[in-house]
Amino acid sequence: PEQQRFAAHEEFLDRRENVVSARTYFYDDEAKCDENMNIFLQCVDAVSGSTKSTGFVAIKLTALGRPQFLLQLSELLVITRKLFEKFAGEGDILLKKFRQEEFQKTLDVMGVPISRDQTKRWFSILDISQDGEVDLWDWDNLLEENLQLCKLLIVPNKETGIPEQMMEGLTEEEDEQLKNMLKRLNTIVEYAKEKDVRVMVDAEQTYFQPAISRIVIEMMRKFNKEKAIVFNTYQTYLKSSLTNLKVDLDLSRRENFQFGAKLVRGAYMEQERERAASVGYEDPINADYHATTDMYHACLEEVFYQIKQRPLGQIAVMVASHNEDTVRFAVEGMDRHDIKKSDRLICFGQLLGMCDQISFPLGQAGYSVYKYVPYGPVEEVLPYLSRRAMENKGILKKVQKEKSLLWKELKRRVKAGQLRYNPLENSTVG
């Protein structure tokens, strides 16, 4: 059932179904992907020219190539991770490890015909750190260092049952298309770094996300040497979000690159739940809204803790939330952990036109604040904005609150004779 998550299912081919707050890209051809890349490059220029090297652009990987490749890579990554867990046993994934004897024992249980000499040779290849134990870092690093490992993973064909190599089956044209997708992302990030603009790669559906996260981590390895240029996105409505965040933070510490993250609640809940129930794998979404809030706050606490364990500036995080309680939790957490506003390690983001009662006070108080600005033709942007307005069932209450606050501020200015008062004075926005 878990593998079925990464298969294409006809009833869910339209990924716009039940998705109200995210743009969905479909593959037409390579020319369309090049066009999308050029639009992202124009956005980099727009941000660079207006924010003086402090701004962000947000991009989606499914706009840059055939989504099917992300499905295949995600399946490979999940299977290899589960294979590691089979060897290493239960427990905290960051603490899991196994020795050669355990490796041999598990292979015997699995019925893998392999001699002790072969086991010793394979274990020495897996044990990159050469400390007599294989941990998650060794395991994942092997996949990074030698992508030919993909060809060593033999799995039964789902239809015939005949064993075959996991990643076989790409035609020469598909292989070229996969390389083009990665080249386009590399081009965007290289250009953004040249313009001193940061790139947030949006999260997408869970069946794409393992591949997206791995590719983004590769971009971090390459470009986040001196500054966090590339940011990954973590959807905290997922049960796995804290574990994934911890694993990526640990990797950045081990390999000494700067870590960038955007924390959001998530945009695909109804679709994810319907697909999981229909296909037959475990629902990846937290049980309810409160569980998601707890996960968001747990991720923030992990970030705060890690920031204090490392040299200043190694971690940068955007708290992308319209939820006042979460924003308050983040501000109070910065105080608890003595993370200064002037450090610019934690920033806040809200959609343009929403929750200004959160954005402006934060900016006036000296926090780094961003307003997310959708960009594009009017006929495409307006439906997106209307969907964003519909996504939160409590939006009308927020609108009423904003109207009340605006009316209160207007009366205050009339009484104080400050009709021309500028709320941006002495604030830090961006």
Side-chain angles (χ1 to χ4, degrees):
E2 185 63 27
Q3 278 184 257
Q4 286 300 307
R5 177 187 302 193
F6 305 103
H9 297 276
E10 188 173 351
E11 65 269 38
F12 296 102
L13 290 182
D14 188 348
R15 290 179 282 111
R16 295 167 299 188
E17 193 75 27
N18 293 325
V19 176
V20 297
S21 59
R23 172 70 188 270
T24 300
Y25 290 90
F26 294 97
Y27 181 83
D28 291 328
D29 51 37
E30 293 297 286
K32 182 63 176 177
C33 294
D34 286 336
E35 182 184 327
N36 290 337
M37 179 189 73
N38 289 328
I39 291 172
F40 289 143
L41 293 175
Q42 291 170 30
C43 290
V44 171
D45 282 332
V47 169
S48 176
S50 61
T51 63
K52 299 177 182 177
S53 302
T54 64
F56 291 89
V57 295
I59 68 172
K60 280 198 167 186
L61 208 50
T62 50
L64 300 176
R66 203 182 271 277
Q68 178 64 27
F69 299 139
L70 299 176
L71 278 177
Q72 290 175 269
L73 180 55
S74 291
E75 183 178 21
L76 172 66
L77 293 168
V78 168
I79 286 178
T80 55
R81 178 64 58 82
K82 287 191 175 297
L83 189 58
F84 169 76
E85 292 174 346
K86 196 173 187 69
F87 286 119
E90 298 180 357
D92 186 336
I93 195 164
L94 292 177
L95 302 177
K96 286 181 179 179
K97 53 186 69 175
F98 58 89
R99 296 180 176 275
Q100 183 179 324
E101 311 82 67
E102 297 160 331
F103 183 50
Q104 177 73 60
K105 188 180 297 184
T106 304
L107 288 173
D108 291 342
V109 171
M110 292 170 67
V112 177
I114 186 171
S115 69
R116 291 202 172 272
D117 286 343
Q118 287 175 314
T119 301
K120 184 177 180 181
R121 181 169 66 87
W122 276 108
F123 187 85
S124 68
I125 294 172
L126 290 168
D127 186 14
I128 290 176
S129 55
Q130 295 297 301
D131 61 356
E133 296 178 320
V134 174
D135 61 12
L136 183 64
W137 184 80
D138 290 319
W139 187 267
D140 282 355
N141 226 29
L142 179 67
L143 191 59
E144 302 299 343
E145 294 294 330
N146 182 11
L147 291 177
Q148 293 304 306
L149 178 66
C150 303
K151 295 183 178 179
L152 302 177
L153 294 170
I154 308 297
V155 297
N157 181 289
K158 293 172 186 173
E159 295 180 2
T160 67
I162 299 172
E164 60 183 22
Q165 290 176 0
M166 180 76 174
M167 290 301 283
E168 270 193 349
L170 288 185
T171 65
E172 188 174 329
E173 180 184 13
E174 288 173 334
D175 185 59
E176 188 63 28
Q177 290 173 352
L178 176 58
K179 290 175 182 175
N180 287 342
M181 173 192 275
L182 300 178
K183 284 178 184 175
R184 291 182 188 107
L185 178 61
N186 195 77
T187 297
I188 292 167
V189 179
E190 273 191 342
Y191 189 65
K193 184 174 184 181
E194 178 187 325
K195 294 288 188 176
D196 207 6
V197 171
R198 291 169 286 180
V199 177
M200 295 187 298
V201 182
D202 277 346
E204 303 194 44
Q205 286 91 345
T206 53
Y207 41 90
F208 294 139
Q209 199 54 44
I212 293 172
S213 291
R214 176 55 61 87
I215 291 168
V216 174
I217 287 293
E218 287 304 303
M219 293 292 108
M220 285 191 198
R221 274 189 171 120
K222 182 175 181 179
F223 292 101
N224 286 14
K225 298 294 186 183
E226 294 132 16
K227 178 181 177 180
I229 296 293
V230 182
F231 282 58
N232 197 10
T233 301
Y234 296 85
Q235 300 185 103
T236 58
Y237 69 0
L238 297 177
K239 298 172 183 176
S240 61
S241 54
L242 180 58
T243 298
N244 293 338
L245 178 66
K246 285 182 175 181
V247 168
D248 292 347
L249 278 165
D250 188 63
L251 181 63
S252 70
R253 177 187 61 80
R254 286 174 179 259
E255 299 198 2
N256 197 31
F257 60 83
Q258 299 205 14
F259 180 80
K262 177 175 73 167
L263 298 181
V264 301
R265 271 181 162 73
Y268 307 97
M269 182 177 71
E270 289 184 32
Q271 185 189 89
E272 291 278 13
R273 282 187 162 153
E274 182 183 351
R275 192 177 189 272
S278 175
V279 175
Y281 56 87
E282 182 186 352
D283 182 359
I285 307 296
N286 285 318
D288 53 35
Y289 182 84
H290 297 296
T292 294
T293 297
D294 291 342
M295 181 66 77
Y296 202 129
H297 294 179
C299 288
L300 279 171
E301 279 296 331
E302 182 65 26
V303 165
F304 296 147
Y305 172 77
Q306 294 281 351
I307 284 174
K308 301 307 291 184
Q309 301 304 307
R310 305 190 194 184
L312 191 66
Q314 291 293 303
I315 297 173
V317 172
M318 171 177 279
V319 181
S321 176
H322 295 127
N323 184 280
E324 293 180 29
D325 291 334
T326 292
V327 171
R328 187 179 299 109
F329 182 90
V331 169
E332 291 172 352
M334 290 174 67
D335 288 339
R336 285 197 312 274
H337 293 271
D338 193 29
I339 299 170
K340 297 179 175 60
K341 294 176 280 190
S342 58
D343 293 336
R344 296 290 182 260
L345 304 179
I346 305 291
C347 63
F348 298 85
Q350 290 88 39
L351 186 68
L352 182 67
M354 286 179 69
C355 293
D356 287 346
Q357 80 275 11
I358 293 177
S359 308
F360 283 112
L362 283 171
Q364 288 177 295
Y367 293 92
S368 187
V369 182
Y370 292 84
K371 298 299 280 188
Y372 188 99
V373 184
Y375 169 81
V378 171
E379 64 270 17
E380 292 186 22
V381 173
L382 281 179
Y384 166 82
L385 291 174
S386 67
R387 291 196 303 271
R388 290 307 298 258
M390 292 291 290
E391 71 176 290
N392 191 331
K393 292 180 180 178
I395 193 69
L396 292 178
K397 292 181 181 179
K398 293 183 179 181
V399 170
Q400 290 299 324
K401 182 172 184 178
E402 288 190 50
K403 285 173 65 177
S404 173
L405 290 170
L406 287 169
W407 179 243
K408 185 177 178 180
E409 175 64 10
L410 180 60
K411 289 194 290 186
R412 186 196 69 79
R413 292 190 191 184
V414 169
K415 289 181 180 179
Q418 292 181 326
L419 286 177
R420 295 183 181 274
Y421 173 72
N422 183 0
L424 290 178
E425 286 180 359
N426 302 317
S427 69
T428 304
V429 181

